[in-house]
Amino acid sequence: MTFRFSPRANRAREIRWHEWGEDAFREARERDVPVLLAISAVWCHWCHVMDETSYSTPEIIAAINDQYVAIRVDNDERPDVNRRYNMGGWPSTVFLTPDGEIVHGATYVPPQQMLQTVGAVADLWRTKKDDIRSRVAAALAHEDQVREIEPGELTHEIVDLVRSLVSGQYDPQYGGFGREPKFPQAKLLQFLLDEYRRDGAPDLATMLRTTLDAMKDSGMYDHVEGGFFRYATQRDWNVPHYEKMLEDNAELLAVYAQAHRVFPDRGYDRVARDVIRWMDAVLYQPESGLWSGSQDADEHYYTLDSQGRARHDVPYVDRTLYTSWNALAAQAYVRAADSLGDDGLRERARRAADEIDRRLRDASGALCRYDDGSGPKLPDLLGDAAAYLVLLVDLGDVAAALGVARRMRERLEDRDGGGFYDTPERPEPGRLARRERTIEENATAADALLRLASLTADESWREVGVRALRAFVGEYRAWGQFAASYADAVARALREAASVVVVGQDAADTLWRGVRAIDDPDLVTIRLDPVRDAALIADRGLPADRVAAYVCVGTSCSAPLTDEGSLRGELAELRRHAAARL
């Protein structure tokens, strides 16, 4: 790993930074000193400020080197560390025992306060380490109680409650949710969009249109180069923090592209094309077929017009390839392909899926978190596996999807309580020794497995997905509006597992276009080639020599449908049947 600093923070490199790992904690135990953990990100403005101030102050450098083992972690590269130690933002400045338990933490700490805190925590460890250890032990015992799984049944009340919580946070004046700072919250918007497509409630349409319009018309959006900034510092969206993230833009692209199908007169298609324009111009790496991770904040640059920007240095782009973010980007291109009628975008997504498989696996074949140019690193994280699985399901690549799903179960499934851990079982220091089950990543994994069951007509995958969702019934309320993606997956699980299967090669193109035009968030669609997918066709008991579409519920499929009219009629009957069951 190469530690990444602000270009103006040469002195920060004088701190003896260590990588996260057992070697650093062993040194802390041998020296009997606390650990200073700095969690930063290459795009993070206040991380740069802290590098240029606190971590460049000679007295602080000397105190850290003398009294601590200092560890530096990049949030994007190590989401597992960040999840357990983040103090509410970036940078996170965390003081740990030599065993990796939290003593004290903050975000940005200015120099004078940092100097005082470094001294105070070191003194506290020297004089009261037994008290600290007792307090840590009590906190861990309490955590063990809180972490106990309370599975329950999936009900419509779960979806309704989360929908109510989201509505309660809605800002009717400026759109969005909460006050300030205001984040786009794409997962929450996706939930509302899917719910609106399910039942057409007018209040959902109002929340969606108001929020999507406000974001695209405000300072949150780059009206020159396209793309969305990470968040707004004010309630009205007009003063952004100027980082641009692949993750955020991929998720927002997917939302705006799908929203265009629902609200075709709002101009959301232009926003989707603009986001693609920025992603292609700034983040896309033609040589790899994948996208870079982020573009730095530069307040001056982004206040210039197009001519002014042309004369200015472009903000730094982190060319690291992140698996889950690239999978999200490719997912968004699939959705945009269907919404904008651009098959080239689907081909781009197909290439990205192939390149993830080729470039982001280690020598053992494990899917890894990232490649910073020196090879794939950090295998088998749930967030990466789940995002990649969604992409493969979107593309109808059943064989590859089954491979990812099987490894996800093998390495990450909680066989006792249900659901999936965020990391595989492996030796790790500190709080990483305790694997966690995260609601958003489990929701993504479960949703993909529900859809995989429809693609394969194998109900065992549905059982695994439902079991993962049931594991969070006892705790989803505590997540509030951030349980939106969980509620979205529960809503899918509560509906009949419906799919449309198109069989045929070139002659099936018209039918396949008609299927892709269907706007139903819970309907799974797949095109099967009579030669390539002969085994899948046979498994479903369908004729391989006939060009037709089939509407299937579970393993039961309709008669062959050979034109769009009969297909629409069969789907209408399916919806009437589903509505009668609710």
Side-chain angles (χ1 to χ4, degrees), residues 150-206:
E150 298 178 20
E153 295 303 316
L154 302 184
T155 65
H156 290 286
E157 285 75 18
I158 295 171
V159 183
D160 293 342
L161 176 59
V162 175
R163 192 159 146 175
S164 176
L165 291 170
V166 170
S167 299
Q169 290 294 307
Y170 172 63
D171 181 348
Q173 184 172 356
Y174 294 106
F177 303 88
R179 306 286 288 190
E180 68 276 328
K182 190 170 277 184
F183 289 81
Q185 300 192 50
K187 290 182 176 64
L188 190 154
L189 292 170
Q190 184 68 60
F191 168 58
L192 294 182
L193 183 60
D194 288 346
E195 279 292 278
Y196 178 70
R197 292 153 78 194
R198 290 176 181 122
D199 65 22
D203 63 314
L204 298 182
T206 298

Side-chain angles (χ1 to χ4, degrees), residues 388-411:
Y388 188 44
L389 179 58
V390 171
L391 172 59
L392 295 172
V393 169
D394 281 354
L395 292 168
D397 191 338
V398 174
L402 286 170
V404 172
R406 287 169 182 145
R407 184 167 179 109
M408 191 169 71
R409 291 197 68 187
E410 174 192 336
R411 301 284 285 158

Side-chain angles (χ1 to χ4, degrees), residues 323-509:
T323 295
S324 64
W325 297 0
N326 269 278
L328 287 172
Q331 290 170 35
Y333 275 48
V334 173
R335 288 158 175 74
D338 292 343
S339 297
L340 305 178
D342 185 346
D343 286 339
L345 295 174
R346 181 177 282 265
E347 291 306 311
R348 296 273 300 283
R350 174 71 268 172
R351 183 189 173 193
D354 292 342
E355 293 294 346
I356 289 172
D357 186 63
R358 187 167 74 90
R359 295 175 179 273
L360 286 158
R361 291 187 184 275
D362 64 16
S364 74
L367 191 68
C368 293
R369 167 64 188 163
Y370 69 97
D371 181 358
D372 59 2
S374 60
K377 297 179 180 66
L378 198 62
D380 288 321
L381 296 190
L382 176 59
D384 299 314
Y388 188 44
L389 179 58
V390 171
L391 172 59
L392 295 172
V393 169
D394 281 354
L395 292 168
D397 191 338
V398 174
L402 286 170
V404 172
R406 287 169 182 145
R407 184 167 179 109
M408 191 169 71
R409 291 197 68 187
E410 174 192 336
R411 301 284 285 158
L412 299 169
E413 187 176 14
D414 179 353
R415 301 280 179 172
D416 297 322
F420 299 89
Y421 293 112
D422 64 333
T423 64
E425 194 165 14
R426 59 190 175 205
E428 281 279 8
R431 299 180 73 83
L432 262 73
R434 300 156 67 85
R435 298 198 291 171
E436 295 185 359
R437 297 174 315 114
T438 59
I439 192 168
E440 279 192 352
E441 291 178 348
N442 269 271
T444 301
D447 192 74
L449 292 171
L450 295 173
R451 296 170 60 214
L452 182 62
S454 294
L455 287 183
T456 60
D458 182 348
E459 285 298 294
S460 67
W461 292 114
R462 181 176 179 84
E463 292 166 8
V464 177
V466 167
R467 191 163 177 261
L469 295 173
R470 290 186 64 243
F472 289 87
V473 169
E475 66 176 88
Y476 78 91
R477 292 176 182 82
W479 293 85
Q481 68 188 45
F482 298 104
S485 55
Y486 172 73
D488 209 359
V490 170
R492 181 189 296 279
L494 291 170
R495 291 186 72 180
E496 285 186 316
S499 60
V500 178
V501 181
V502 175
V503 177
Q505 295 179 328
D506 294 347
D509 287 352

Side-chain angles (χ1 to χ4, degrees), residues 124-233:
L124 189 66
W125 180 252
R126 278 193 298 269
T127 60
K128 295 189 179 293
K129 67 183 65 174
D130 290 340
D131 292 343
I132 292 172
R133 286 179 171 136
S134 296
R135 179 167 58 84
V136 164
L140 290 175
H142 175 69
E143 281 184 23
D144 286 340
Q145 290 181 328
V146 172
R147 287 158 62 102
E148 290 182 3
I149 297 173
E150 298 178 20
E153 295 303 316
L154 302 184
T155 65
H156 290 286
E157 285 75 18
I158 295 171
V159 183
D160 293 342
L161 176 59
V162 175
R163 192 159 146 175
S164 176
L165 291 170
V166 170
S167 299
Q169 290 294 307
Y170 172 63
D171 181 348
Q173 184 172 356
Y174 294 106
F177 303 88
R179 306 286 288 190
E180 68 276 328
K182 190 170 277 184
F183 289 81
Q185 300 192 50
K187 290 182 176 64
L188 190 154
L189 292 170
Q190 184 68 60
F191 168 58
L192 294 182
L193 183 60
D194 288 346
E195 279 292 278
Y196 178 70
R197 292 153 78 194
R198 290 176 181 122
D199 65 22
D203 63 314
L204 298 182
T206 298
M207 285 189 278
L208 284 163
R209 288 193 298 253
T210 301
T211 301
L212 294 174
D213 288 351
M215 289 195 301
K216 76 179 178 66
D217 295 334
S218 70
M220 262 289 293
Y221 186 67
D222 184 346
H223 296 272
V224 177
E225 295 180 347
F228 287 91
F229 300 112
R230 196 165 73 90
Y231 70 94
T233 62

